[in-house]
Amino acid sequence: MKPQVMPSQSVILTSKNDWDRMDRTIEIMSVSDNNYNEEEMKELDLSGFVKLRKIKVGNDCFKNVKKVNICGLSELESVCIGSKAFGRDDNSKGGSFCLKNCPKLKSLKMGRYSFSDYTVCEIENVDALEVIEMGDVNYWSGCFYWSSLELNSVFIHRE
């Protein structure tokens, strides 16, 4: 019998089996440290999780993923990624991170060395975004080291 997950519950993911049986209507996704580093895990597409509000990825996860797609999530409020996530240990260049069309997203945070070998970082149509933290301001962080980061539009609200 397939386990049932209530949409209001959070799910802690620790294995490929957890991922395969996950309910796509969850609201909070939490990935434990050192997970999803299997060679066959090349892409992470979260666009099908229509009720997702929070994403939390631990340290040293998704080492072989080269394409991350977080698009069209109308309820997403925060993305928090630990250190050394989404980056191979061999420092090979390549990979794309796409975060688009998430109108309620307020916070995007990632730890040191995450996405260090990615060459593409696209963040678009996230009008509620208030915080972007990449790495640690006091240390060399290497996030998107091979990418050109460009802020295309800023809306400043005056009261």
Side-chain angles (χ1 to χ4, degrees), residues 6-156:
M6 299 303 296
S8 61
Q9 292 180 331
S10 65
V11 174
I12 298 173
L13 304 169
T14 60
S15 71
K16 179 86 168 86
N17 186 40
D18 291 343
W19 189 269
D20 292 341
R21 66 181 171 82
M22 187 178 5
D23 183 341
R24 298 301 193 240
T25 62
I26 62 167
E27 293 182 5
I28 300 171
M29 179 185 293
S30 182
V31 177
S32 300
D33 291 350
N34 301 303
N35 277 294
Y36 300 104
N37 293 321
E38 295 88 358
E39 190 68 34
E40 67 272 4
M41 190 102 179
K42 301 284 186 198
E43 183 175 345
L44 180 65
D45 186 355
L46 299 178
S47 57
F49 292 86
V50 295
K51 293 187 178 183
L52 200 56
R53 290 186 302 109
K54 296 181 182 184
I55 301 168
K56 184 174 191 275
V57 174
N59 300 325
D60 298 296
C61 295
F62 299 104
K63 295 268 186 193
N64 292 300
V65 169
K66 286 299 181 185
K67 184 174 183 179
V68 177
N69 185 25
I70 306 172
C71 298
L73 299 179
S74 60
E75 300 301 317
L76 188 63
E77 298 169 2
S78 70
V79 175
C80 183
I81 298 168
S83 298
K84 298 182 184 177
F86 299 98
R88 295 179 73 108
D89 292 330
D90 64 4
N91 293 322
S92 60
K93 292 182 203 174
S96 65
F97 174 80
C98 181
L99 175 64
K100 294 181 181 180
N101 304 319
C102 299
K104 291 184 180 179
L105 184 70
K106 291 183 180 179
S107 175
L108 171 62
K109 298 179 181 182
M110 61 191 68
R112 296 172 66 196
Y113 309 114
S114 289
F115 302 99
S116 59
D117 54 354
Y118 276 46
T119 54
V120 176
C121 177
E122 296 178 326
I123 302 172
E124 295 179 10
N125 297 324
V126 287
D127 295 340
L129 192 62
E130 297 172 356
V131 175
I132 298 177
E133 289 181 14
M134 294 182 178
D136 186 330
V137 73
N138 296 315
Y139 300 97
W140 187 84
S141 295
C143 297
F144 296 104
Y145 183 78
W146 301 104
S147 298
S148 294
L149 300 176
E150 184 176 319
L151 183 59
N152 290 322
S153 64
V154 176
F155 175 75
I156 300 175

